[in-house]
Amino acid sequence: MTKTIVHTDDAIPPMPIFSQAVISRGYVYVSGNIGCTKDFKVVEGGVKAQTRAALENLSIVLKAAGSGLEHIVKANIYLTNIKDDFAPMNEVYAEFFDKASMPARTCVGVAALPLGANFEMECMAEVP
């Protein structure tokens, strides 16, 4: 199996124990992204702001891999308060995708996320 590690200085830097993304067999697997700044401070503004920041960062990583948000085939989302944050998260999430070709998606509630974030997303996308 051949795999290529994806790294771009334009995106939030990864923790030293994982890569921003990995390309293998025509797909890019992007590590989880929370809505934080490059100095690892969670953005202010709640789940909507965190969702927007994380998706913007995912877009940067996907572009570095030769892909893009429009090529996502599967997304996994994690929310610390799924009851209150599911609807507002979906409002922002929908802004980033063509309604006619939404990726498959799972969204689960979790007890906690890194840095106290409310939102995290990882994805798998085609590399055209």
Side-chain angles (χ1 to χ4, degrees):
M1 175 179 84
T2 303
K3 67 180 184 178
T4 303
I5 303 301
V6 176
H7 177 82
T8 175
D9 290 334
D10 295 333
I12 307 295
M15 302 302 278
I17 57 170
F18 58 86
S19 302
Q20 288 171 322
V22 175
I23 298 172
S24 179
R25 299 182 183 199
Y27 289 90
V28 57
Y29 301 84
V30 183
S31 294
N33 279 255
I34 62 172
C36 70
T37 63
K38 284 190 174 187
D39 57 349
F40 300 109
K41 292 190 177 17
V42 174
V43 296
E44 295 182 15
V47 74
K48 282 185 161 186
Q50 289 179 38
T51 301
R52 182 168 279 105
L55 279 160
E56 288 169 352
N57 193 63
L58 277 166
S59 180
I60 293 167
V61 174
L62 286 165
K63 182 179 177 184
S67 188
L69 293 172
E70 69 277 14
H71 298 292
I72 294 175
V73 293
K74 177 66 164 81
N76 295 320
I77 294 176
Y78 308 95
L79 294 172
T80 57
N81 186 346
I82 198 163
K83 180 180 172 229
D84 294 335
D85 288 345
F86 187 73
M89 177 276 298
N90 277 328
E91 288 175 30
V92 175
Y93 179 89
E95 295 172 14
F96 287 81
F97 297 97
D98 178 352
K99 292 185 184 353
S101 61
M102 295 294 242
R105 191 183 92 179
T106 299
C107 184
V108 295
V110 296
L113 290 169
L115 306 178
N118 302 109
F119 171 94
E120 183 171 11
M121 180 174 157
E122 63 182 1
C123 67
M124 182 178 91
E126 294 178 312
V127 179

